[in-house]
């Protein structure tokens, strides 16, 4: 039986991670910083200087800012936050943008007073904005988490400052307590009443935007393309997740419940589980438990990888979905753990080259690898310890892959950004 301390920790992790976001979380973080700065400045700025980590630039360059009227880019994201953002809505900062705000955005962008700069030697998730208006200067710093405003100043006065250790700030979360056996014990035996609201919101929001992507044409319509190839549950699961990404990456303003700071990861881990639950007429309680298991396994992997890196987060999210689907099907823990090993041991090299339409394609490929890993595991086939990054058990393999992603892919990340920024 899982102990109360672990249950409390896992409840807190799920409730802090499974939150709603409107649009890709990197440009939304820029919009949030813009809205916070405007509230402190109390007037429209005459000049804005942005200083962002390479991963922020990578994930803002090619994705459509929601409610912007189809506009992409860092300048649009921060300006829309300044013009009409509500910083108290956090990752839904742009949820109440109107046509008037969109018209003003075009006018302000034409003035060309937002300067975007790369800043080095900072956390992978980092924004510093400096807003200048007449005699006043406001700075806002965000780091480590998409909603973690670490410092706000106006002229020489510090208006707000908080601890940089985000997990201590947010409900004393300790992700080092995550491991595969405890996650399964939690999912199977814990009272989930404290997290059911978050899990139901994930079901409702992510299903809705997936249906939008399957119904209408967003981006390259990867989800609709997959759906046209068949109607088995594996195809439907891939189509559902890809379609949600189609809509989200191309400016759909519908909210998504995220995982590990990412809407794409939130959809990749949840929508396949939901689709399989429909196929097998799974009870609502068992669906909640499968979602708790999947979400926690995704967060567990990301605790080693970090918030942003050159490692495509669809891989860790899809692997987690595969594990939860194995659990839904009544598989043993050995099969569940072997599914994870097979998946991340096969496709862990997929790179993240920023948020954009092709994320939907990567999601479908990552899920295909997860399903292959599950099929292999059911047939008692698992990648061997000692081959490449495969270790003696799934927990050790997760840590090894995470270390490779966080430390080993730093130079890859740098090269990706340099290529993306070439004129």
């Amino acid at each position: 039986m899982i102990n109360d301390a672990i249950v409390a920790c896992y409840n807190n992790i799920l409730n802090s991670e499974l939150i709603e976001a409107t649009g890709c979380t990197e440009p939304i973080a820029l919009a949030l910083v813009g809205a916070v700065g405007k509230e402190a400045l109390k007037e429209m700025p005459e000049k804005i200087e942005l200083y962002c980590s390479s991963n922020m630039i990578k994930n803002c360059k090619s994705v459509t800012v929601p409610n912007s009227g189809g506009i992409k880019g860092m300048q649009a994201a921060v300006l829309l936050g300044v013009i009409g953002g509500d910083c108290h809505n956090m990752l839904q900062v742009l949820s109440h943008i109107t046509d008037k705000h969109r018209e003003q955005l075009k006018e302000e962008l034409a003035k060309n007073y937002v300067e975007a700069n790369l800043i080095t030697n900072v956390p992978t998730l980092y924004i510093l904005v400096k807003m200048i208006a007449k005699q006043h200067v406001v700075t806002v710093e965000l780091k480590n988490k998409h909603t973690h405003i670490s410092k706000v100043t106006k002229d020489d006065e510090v208006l707000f400052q908080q601890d940089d250790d985000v997990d201590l700030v947010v409900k004393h979360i300790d992700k080092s307590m995550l491991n595969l056996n405890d996650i399964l014990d939690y999912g199977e035996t814990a009272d989930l009443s404290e997290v059911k609201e978050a899990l139901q919101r994930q079901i409702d929001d992510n299903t809705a935007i997936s249906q939008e992507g399957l119904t209408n044409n967003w981006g390259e319509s990867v989800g609709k393309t997959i759906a046209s190839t068949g109607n088995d549950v594996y195809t439907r699961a891939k189509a559902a997740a890809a379609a949600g990404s189609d809509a989200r990456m191309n400016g759909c303003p519908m909210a998504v419940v995220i995982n590990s700071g990412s809407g794409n990861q939130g959809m990749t881990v949840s929508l396949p589980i939901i689709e399989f639950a429909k196929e097998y007429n799974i009870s609502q309680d068992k669906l909640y438990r499968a979602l708790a298991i999947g979400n926690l396994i995704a967060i567990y992997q990301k605790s080693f990888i970090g918030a942003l890196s050159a490692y495509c987060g669809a891989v860790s999210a899809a692997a987690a979905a595969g594990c939860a689907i194995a659990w839904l099907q009544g598989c043993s823990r050995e099969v569940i753990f072997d599914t994870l090993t097979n998946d991340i041991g096969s496709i862990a090299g997929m790179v993240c080259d920023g948020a954009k339409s092709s994320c939907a394609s990567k999601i479908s490929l990552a899920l295909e690898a997860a399903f292959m890993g599950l099929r292999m595991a059911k047939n008692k086939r698992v990648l061997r310890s000692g081959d490449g990054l495969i270790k003696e058990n799934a927990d050790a393999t997760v840590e090894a892959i995470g270390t490779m992603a966080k430390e080993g892919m730093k130079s890859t990340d740098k090269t990706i950004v340099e290529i993306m920024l070439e004129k």
Side-chain angles (χ1 to χ4, degrees):
M1 188 73 176
I2 194 166
N3 68 54
D4 291 344
I6 293 176
V7 172
C9 177
Y10 288 11
N11 284 345
N12 287 340
I13 289 173
L14 287 172
N15 281 322
S16 68
E17 292 279 349
L18 304 190
I19 59 175
E20 289 182 309
T22 301
C24 180
T25 47
E26 279 73 55
I28 288 299
L30 277 172
L32 175 60
V33 168
V36 170
K38 170 66 180 304
E39 186 171 79
L41 193 60
K42 302 187 186 306
E43 58 185 316
M44 279 298 294
E46 297 169 350
K47 184 178 181 181
I48 298 176
E49 296 175 9
L50 279 176
Y51 299 90
C52 297
S53 61
S54 60
N55 274 277
M56 283 299 306
I57 293 172
K58 179 176 72 174
N59 284 328
C60 292
K61 178 178 179 290
S62 302
V63 68
T64 302
V65 180
N67 274 328
S68 66
I71 301 174
K72 299 179 181 181
M74 300 168 66
Q75 290 85 351
V78 71
L79 272 175
L80 199 54
V82 169
I83 292 163
D86 181 352
C87 60
H88 304 288
N89 276 353
M90 303 304 282
L91 293 181
Q92 295 194 80
V93 60
L94 300 181
S95 58
H96 300 298
I97 296 297
T98 65
D99 287 340
K100 183 178 179 181
H101 294 136
R102 281 184 279 274
E103 285 303 313
Q104 188 178 352
L105 173 63
K106 293 177 184 177
E107 294 171 4
E108 299 299 326
L109 282 171
K111 297 176 184 177
N112 199 31
Y113 61 81
V114 182
E115 178 185 296
N117 304 280
L118 170 66
I119 185 170
T120 57
N121 300 316
V122 293
T124 57
L125 203 169
Y126 183 88
I127 305 168
L128 176 68
V129 63
K130 181 178 180 181
M131 296 187 184
I132 303 166
K134 298 176 183 175
Q135 302 302 312
H136 298 293
V137 177
V138 163
T139 65
V140 182
E141 182 184 60
L142 180 149
K143 62 172 67 172
N144 297 325
K145 195 177 178 77
H146 295 85
T147 55
H148 185 75
I149 303 293
S150 54
K151 189 175 183 180
V152 182
T153 69
K154 186 172 185 179
D155 301 325
D156 296 323
E157 180 184 359
V158 176
L159 303 181
F160 175 81
Q161 190 167 11
Q162 64 176 325
D163 197 310
D164 288 343
D165 191 334
V166 177
D167 288 341
L168 288 176
V169 173
V170 185
K171 297 185 179 178
H172 304 285
I173 291 166
D174 183 5
K175 291 179 183 175
S176 69
M177 293 178 71
L178 290 165
N179 66 79
L180 293 171
N181 271 309
D182 281 347
I183 288 171
L184 285 167
D185 285 345
Y186 170 86
E188 291 172 352
T189 66
D191 177 358
L192 299 185
S193 58
E194 289 190 24
V195 297
K196 279 185 179 178
E197 184 178 345
L199 295 171
Q200 186 60 51
R201 191 164 54 240
Q202 186 177 55
I203 294 168
D204 294 341
D205 286 359
N206 295 4
T207 299
I209 196 169
S210 172
Q211 191 56 48
E212 170 64 25
L214 288 169
T215 302
N216 296 306
N217 293 319
W218 292 92
E220 280 59 64
S221 296
V222 175
K224 290 178 75 173
T225 302
I226 295 169
S228 71
T229 66
N231 196 40
D232 63 280
V233 66
Y234 292 95
T235 300
R236 295 201 310 271
K238 289 185 291 183
S245 182
D246 283 326
R248 188 169 176 274
M249 291 293 94
N250 290 282
C252 179
M254 297 172 71
V256 165
V257 170
I258 65 178
N259 179 294
S260 305
S262 164
N264 278 340
Q265 289 171 57
M267 291 184 292
T268 302
V269 70
S270 63
L271 287 165
I273 298 170
I274 295 165
E275 202 60 46
F276 271 80
K278 293 176 189 174
E279 176 75 5
Y280 295 112
N281 296 313
I282 298 298
S283 69
Q284 194 72 2
D285 179 72
K286 192 169 183 179
L287 172 56
Y288 288 145
R289 293 185 181 281
L291 285 169
I293 289 168
N295 279 291
L296 285 171
I297 292 176
I299 294 164
Y300 174 45
Q301 293 173 82
K302 289 290 286 187
S303 71
F304 296 105
I305 297 167
L308 298 173
S309 75
Y311 186 97
C312 178
V315 173
S316 48
C323 292
I325 289 165
W327 181 83
L328 270 182
Q329 294 177 339
C331 295
S332 67
R333 292 200 177 187
E334 181 182 10
V335 169
I336 294 168
F337 298 161
D338 287 352
T339 296
L340 181 58
T341 297
N342 286 337
D343 184 6
I344 61 176
S346 298
I347 198 173
M350 186 186 291
V351 298
C352 171
D353 55 343
K356 67 241 175 280
S357 289
S358 65
C359 290
S361 300
K362 295 190 179 191
I363 286 169
S364 70
L365 292 171
L367 285 167
E368 182 58 43
F371 298 152
M372 180 187 71
L374 173 55
R375 293 184 184 106
M376 288 173 61
K378 285 180 176 179
N379 286 287
K380 301 186 182 304
R381 294 168 182 147
V382 61
L383 301 179
R384 299 173 186 175
S385 174
D387 286 357
L389 297 175
I390 306 301
K391 298 297 181 182
E392 65 275 10
N393 58 59
D395 284 291
T397 301
V398 165
E399 184 172 358
I401 295 290
T403 301
M404 178 275 294
K406 185 174 184 178
E407 302 300 331
M409 297 182 79
K410 284 181 178 178
S411 60
T412 302
D413 210 28
K414 180 175 179 291
T415 302
I416 288 170
V417 174
E418 288 173 352
I419 293 170
M420 288 177 66
L421 294 179
E422 287 177 355
K423 299 297 186 183

